[in-house]
Amino acid sequence: NSSSASVTMFVSPQPVEATDDAFWDQFWADTATSVQDVFALVPAAEIRAVREESPSNLATLCYKAVEKLVQGAESGCHTEKERQIVLNCCRLLTRILPYIFEDPDWRGFFWSTVPGAGRGGGDEDDENARPLAESLLLAVADLLFCPDFTVQSHRRSTVDTAEDIHSIDSCEYIWEAGVGFAHSPQPNYIHDLNRTELLKLLLTCFSEAMYLPPSSDSSNTNPWVQFFCSTENRHALPLFTSLLNIVCAYDPVGYGIPYNHLLFSDYREPLVEEAAQVLIVTLDYDSSTSSSPTVDGTTTGTAMDDVDPPGPDNLFVNYLSRIHREEDFQFILKGVARLLSNPLVQTYLPNSAKKIQFHQELLVLFWKLCDFNKKFLFFVLKSSDVLDILVPILYFLNDARADQSRVGLMHIGVFILLLLSGERNFGVRLNKPYSVRVPMDIPVFTGTHADLLIIVFHKIITSGHQRLQPLFDCLLTIIVNVSPYLKSLSMVAANKLLHLLEAFSTTWFLFSAVQNHHLVFFLLEVFNNIIQYQFDGNSNLVYAVIRKRNVFHQLANLPTDSQSIQKGLQRKKKTPEPISRTNSQDGVSMGTLKTSLVATPGIDKLTEKSQVSEDGTMRSLEPESSQPPPEGNPPPAVSDGEPWSGEASHPRRDRRRLSSASSSGQWTPTPDWVMSWKSKLPLQTIMRLLQVLVPQVEKICIDKGLTDESEILKFLQHGTLVGLLPVPHPILIRKYQANSGTAMWFRTYMWGVIYLRNVDPPIWYDTDVKLFEIQRV
């Protein structure tokens, strides 16, 4: 095979002249190659050898391959031969780029201008100034809207009247109907395959981010993404729209014919996956450090006519934040919900429906939509359609809870629910009865979506992987945020909440870590919100509180002397209570590999408190923690024990050792420390409730000889505490706030997913990635 022969010659230390076309052309002249062939023919060892021993040949190869793409884009790829050359160059660059990125000395290569570039092009001087990376990105953008190659030609053309690629308006060639485009082109699987190869190359260009270590400075933007999403790319709008529409319009079940996907290889799915991955990478943008569009997402003008577009320079983020038509929101939400629900679709025939694998990319995309476009967020919460997103997320959380390789999936699911729970409407929507039975291993219950959420969260906390500890604060914060709006909890959910309180209020747990008592505060806040604001429909919860009243009495009488503290610490449960907090270093996995994640910020960094006024509006509170850090050691800034600052110098293994020492070795509970938070436990409302209701319930039981709980529930349903409880406290909502810690977490998570999902061909496998560690499961 000519390619393998040329690779060997190419390693020879003799530099080959750039003008030696006969030599270079053999790299892309082959007709019957696939990207897999290129990966097999060009082994990693060979690429590294060329890089070290004949750097000028590697440089020339890259430059020549880019030149071929530029020529293809200029000419419009009218012949089969030209298309073959473009695809082969595409595959070759996809193969080589990761080896350029892994070597810091080469990293600037694509951003330098190549002497003599533009040879053979018309206006040489103009092109000369362009760095290779820019020429490459612009050529790929042009090729993605190339009639008869990646899009349907609008002319009944012969070669003479073929559309001039520079005069076409690519907005007329958007790939799929949806946002901003009404016409759905005829599917063409060859076009889909060609688009997929070009997007793979684009993703590989963007993957330079994988070769830089995680840093808390999220301002270091990816130069490839920055250029591609700038006004320099004349196809930015149609391409953004094409990617979004291709993803949201995809229906994996096809026409509902069982086993359909086994008969027809689906060319659309690889394209949809690639599109989803390119989309989330282009949207990797830290909104906490940047000026973004106004809060309600309103900006003036259409996406096209603004000379100086408001908001971010990244046009993809800009366009995303400016989508505003109801029908566009409906299309996006329906599409994302349909795809997220796909794994839950139960059919009577096993394997009869196609199962998609890119739900993690979809969750990142949904997160970006809500984070960058507040109007979209409000639209999602406006109707019960939000439940079509909630149920699949709860399904994934429940399904992944015990699998340490899917900790990343757990985090993104919880982050989305935390973001949604900051809005009153989410709590209100949860009151809708839950009737669809999604296959989940949870107790049977009759109730609402709120019950489902509480039961799944309880399951995560009590039987999840221990690496989920840092998420407990988030899970309970979500329940606190929705609690004032929950009209009627089922008995199953009420008992689960009390079981959590019981587990978290043991002396051993409260005294064994500096921030464990926060969980008790969260749960008490849940009970207080429901008793004060939703007493009438919640007789199940009130009954459960009465039955477990000793838990509240024990909390009120928590011992604070040194001796009792020591005794409490020794009384470690024999039962495996899921209650030691550890690092969440584990990440996403595919098969036997997984990638590590950076630590997530603590709940105090993730959220800011807002108070709900009488009229339902929210006002932000001064950041003043209701549970101040105890004297002595302040809690670490990062809940999983890995603060950003000052630790970067330690290799990761030392760092992990340090953090476990600081969380267990140096800190010891003192009487003053226990007193500092025990005195703030919000027990007044519950104690008053018990004081009023317990004697009444006991009297009924004695008078009527009752042991039957249905009678007691009936009594509680008709009871009232009006005028007997303390003045209701203001409702506090902890709203998610963007911060650089989560921006970095999303970056490592997203690239980890992309690394592991691209196995055929394995684009980045065995290269020296720095953004995360690759671990064998």
Side-chain angles (χ1 to χ4, degrees):
N1 182 311
S2 62
S3 296
S4 48
S6 54
V7 168
T8 333
M9 292 152 47
F10 162 62
V11 179
S12 76
Q14 248 6 73
V16 182
E17 284 301 317
T19 47
D20 184 351
D21 287 338
F23 173 79
W24 296 110
D25 284 348
Q26 52 191 343
F27 281 97
W28 27 83
D30 248 342
T31 46
T33 52
S34 68
V35 67
Q36 286 78 6
D37 296 339
V38 171
F39 272 65
L41 286 170
V42 185
E46 298 270 5
I47 303 173
R48 289 190 175 115
V50 178
R51 189 181 69 197
E52 305 314 320
E53 289 149 37
S54 3
S56 71
N57 285 354
L58 181 60
T60 307
L61 179 68
C62 290
Y63 151 61
K64 297 294 283 186
V66 171
E67 185 183 57
K68 285 289 168 203
L69 290 181
V70 171
Q71 285 167 4
E74 293 282 331
S75 73
C77 283
H78 296 305
T79 66
E80 197 42 55
K81 183 172 181 243
E82 284 178 286
R83 288 172 200 162
Q84 203 50 57
I85 288 174
V86 162
L87 289 172
N88 283 340
C89 289
C90 224
R91 293 157 185 161
L92 196 62
L93 286 167
T94 302
R95 180 56 170 149
I96 291 172
L97 274 167
Y99 298 90
I100 300 255
F101 293 151
E102 73 174 357
D103 184 336
D105 295 338
W106 274 83
R107 216 166 278 146
F109 168 71
F110 268 85
W111 294 96
S112 56
T113 46
V114 180
R119 186 178 57 85
D123 38 357
E124 238 173 275
D125 308 329
D126 195 340
E127 277 305 302
N128 256 343
R130 275 219 184 279
L132 204 52
E134 295 186 3
S135 305
L136 169 56
L137 290 171
L138 293 175
V140 170
D142 277 340
L143 288 164
L144 285 167
F145 292 98
C146 184
D148 290 325
F149 180 53
T150 49
V151 291
Q152 212 76 41
S153 171
H154 289 185
R155 305 233 175 123
R156 300 277 130 264
S157 64
T158 60
V159 174
D160 332 326
T161 61
E163 288 126 306
D164 170 13
I165 195 147
H166 290 289
S167 63
I168 70 169
D169 173 4
S170 44
C171 284
E172 293 171 13
Y173 290 84
I174 288 170
W175 300 350
E176 185 55 83
V179 175
F181 194 65
H183 166 67
S184 186
Q186 197 56 40
N188 178 320
Y189 82 93
I190 301 285
H191 294 175
D192 278 1
L193 291 173
N194 294 343
R195 291 164 177 175
T196 305
E197 299 231 34
L198 286 160
L199 290 179
K200 221 184 251 322
L201 172 57
L202 201 50
L203 196 60
T204 308
C205 291
F206 295 159
S207 72
E208 185 180 350
M210 280 196 219
Y211 298 88
L212 303 170
S215 77
S216 54
D217 174 23
S218 50
S219 59
N220 44 8
T221 43
N222 182 329
W224 295 84
V225 172
Q226 194 176 7
F227 179 80
F228 191 77
C229 299
S230 73
T231 47
E232 295 274 347
N233 177 359
R234 72 187 181 100
H235 304 293
L237 179 66
L239 189 58
F240 167 75
T241 313
S242 294
L243 296 172
L244 185 62
N245 291 353
I246 278 279
V247 172
C248 296
Y250 179 56
D251 182 3
V253 181
Y255 300 99
I257 306 162
Y259 300 103
N260 196 10
H261 65 290
L262 299 179
L263 305 177
F264 309 102
S265 176
D266 178 357
Y267 295 98
R268 191 42 62 107
E269 188 179 19
L271 173 62
V272 174
E273 289 203 3
E274 214 67 54
Q277 291 177 1
V278 168
L279 202 49
I280 61 179
V281 169
T282 52
L283 296 169
D284 175 21
Y285 182 79
D286 180 2
S287 55
S288 69
T289 56
S290 56
S291 60
S292 54
T294 53
V295 175
D296 61 351
T298 49
T299 48
T300 49
T302 67
M304 297 308 294
D305 62 10
D306 274 349
V307 193
D308 185 10
D313 300 332
N314 176 326
L315 291 179
F316 279 37
V317 174
N318 200 332
Y319 297 143
L320 184 78
S321 68
R322 290 160 64 175
I323 297 171
H324 59 275
R325 290 178 20 214
E326 295 259 319
E327 54 269 42
D328 289 343
F329 287 156
Q330 189 61 34
F331 164 75
I332 294 170
L333 181 57
K334 277 274 180 280
V336 173
R338 175 177 58 245
L339 292 169
L340 285 178
S341 311
N342 165 270
L344 289 60
V345 175
Q346 283 299 290
T347 52
Y348 295 106
L349 305 164
N351 302 323
S352 63
K354 187 177 177 108
K355 287 242 188 296
I356 60 158
Q357 300 298 323
F358 56 98
H359 48 272
Q360 299 192 89
E361 292 93 321
L362 285 165
L363 289 170
V364 175
L365 178 60
F366 182 76
W367 169 268
K368 299 278 179 201
L369 281 157
C370 293
D371 196 21
F372 295 151
N373 189 325
K374 287 295 172 267
K375 281 190 167 174
F376 176 75
L377 176 62
F378 299 146
F379 176 84
V380 169
L381 292 163
K382 203 171 69 174
S383 73
S384 52
D385 286 353
V386 65
L387 303 175
D388 298 336
I389 300 284
L390 169 74
V391 172
I393 288 178
L394 292 176
Y395 168 85
F396 292 129
L397 292 179
N398 186 56
D399 189 51
R401 70 179 191 275
D403 178 354
Q404 68 157 9
S405 66
R406 290 200 282 166
V407 169
L409 170 60
M410 299 292 295
H411 277 72
I412 174 116
V414 172
F415 283 159
I416 289 173
L417 297 183
L418 179 64
L419 181 69
L420 295 174
S421 75
E423 307 297 333
R424 173 183 177 273
N425 264 353
F426 182 64
V428 174
R429 299 284 161 235
L430 290 179
N431 290 308
K432 187 174 177 182
Y434 173 68
S435 48
V436 266
R437 288 281 164 238
V438 169
M440 284 198 238
D441 52 336
I442 52 170
V444 177
F445 69 96
T446 305
T448 65
H449 284 76
D451 295 307
L452 177 67
L453 179 134
I454 288 168
I455 291 165
V456 170
F457 282 12
H458 171 268
K459 190 117 192 178
I460 294 167
I461 291 171
T462 55
S463 65
H465 188 265
Q466 65 160 15
R467 298 222 174 247
L468 301 178
Q469 295 293 329
L471 281 178
F472 288 3
D473 284 341
C474 278
L475 292 167
L476 293 186
T477 297
I478 293 164
I479 300 179
V480 173
N481 281 348
V482 300
S483 59
Y485 311 110
L486 304 183
K487 294 196 181 318
S488 169
L489 287 184
S490 68
M491 191 59 92
V492 177
N495 286 334
K496 297 296 182 203
L497 285 176
L498 278 139
H499 177 244
L500 289 178
L501 183 69
E502 235 177 330
F504 291 148
S505 58
T506 61
T507 48
W508 168 74
F509 180 67
L510 285 172
F511 297 158
S512 64
V514 71
Q515 72 282 46
N516 283 355
H517 62 279
H518 292 183
L519 299 174
V520 169
F521 276 81
F522 285 138
L523 284 164
L524 291 175
E525 200 175 328
V526 170
F527 296 135
N528 288 338
N529 281 343
I530 293 177
I531 291 165
Q532 286 281 18
Y533 291 98
Q534 298 289 349
F535 178 81
D536 285 354
N538 274 299
S539 50
N540 287 330
L541 183 75
V542 174
Y543 179 66
V545 168
I546 291 173
R547 275 186 50 215
K548 292 281 185 189
R549 56 189 177 275
N550 62 323
V551 181
F552 299 97
H553 291 303
Q554 278 164 5
L555 267 175
N557 299 316
L558 190 72
T560 55
D561 58 290
S562 305
Q563 203 178 352
S564 306
I565 291 174
Q566 284 318 307
K567 210 159 89 190
L569 284 172
Q570 272 130 37
R571 207 181 302 161
K572 180 163 181 171
K573 285 279 169 46
K574 299 293 172 283
T575 56
E577 281 287 5
I579 305 188
S580 61
R581 299 183 145 215
T582 49
N583 278 340
S584 69
Q585 225 33 49
D586 292 21
V588 269
S589 98
M590 219 46 180
T592 53
L593 293 178
K594 66 184 176 55
T595 56
S596 63
L597 290 164
V598 293
T600 52
I603 193 73
D604 50 331
K605 296 268 182 300
L606 268 180
T607 55
E608 63 175 2
K609 294 204 183 96
S610 301
Q611 193 169 310
V612 180
S613 321
E614 303 273 311
D615 59 357
T617 55
M618 288 195 195
R619 64 184 182 84
S620 184
L621 293 179
E622 286 307 302
E624 183 252 334
S625 167
S626 62
Q627 299 119 31
E631 284 64 61
N633 285 25
V638 179
S639 62
D640 358 17
E642 294 214 358
W644 281 115
S645 58
E647 299 235 321
S649 53
H650 301 287
R652 188 164 283 166
R653 260 152 234 80
D654 290 358
R655 202 162 75 199
R656 199 171 299 165
R657 206 180 59 240
L658 276 176
S659 60
S660 58
S662 61
S663 58
S664 54
Q666 298 155 7
W667 177 81
T668 49
T670 62
D672 286 351
W673 172 76
V674 178
M675 278 305 297
S676 73
W677 55 262
K678 179 189 165 181
S679 60
K680 296 196 181 72
L681 283 168
L683 286 165
Q684 304 79 337
T685 301
I686 294 167
M687 288 309 186
R688 184 75 183 125
L689 173 133
L690 292 173
Q691 196 187 347
V692 174
L693 292 179
V694 170
Q696 296 182 6
V697 170
E698 282 174 345
K699 185 174 184 317
I700 293 177
C701 294
I702 295 163
D703 289 356
K704 302 195 175 173
L706 285 182
T707 49
D708 175 20
E709 62 180 40
S710 63
E711 285 292 323
I712 299 167
L713 281 168
K714 203 173 288 174
F715 162 73
L716 291 173
Q717 267 162 16
H718 297 105
T720 174
L721 291 175
V722 173
L724 296 172
L725 291 177
V727 177
H729 53 283
I731 296 173
L732 272 191
I733 302 292
R734 292 169 182 81
K735 288 172 85 97
Y736 168 81
Q737 55 171 355
N739 61 82
S740 52
T742 33
M744 197 62 229
W745 184 88
F746 271 99
R747 184 173 302 164
T748 53
Y749 170 61
M750 169 183 80
W751 280 113
V753 169
I754 290 171
Y755 177 97
L756 294 168
R757 299 260 299 106
N758 283 273
V759 285
D760 183 26
I763 301 182
W764 300 280
Y765 183 67
D766 263 351
T767 58
D768 188 13
V769 169
K770 294 279 196 303
L771 185 62
F772 41 76
E773 290 175 11
I774 290 100
Q775 301 149 339
R776 298 217 167 265
V777 177

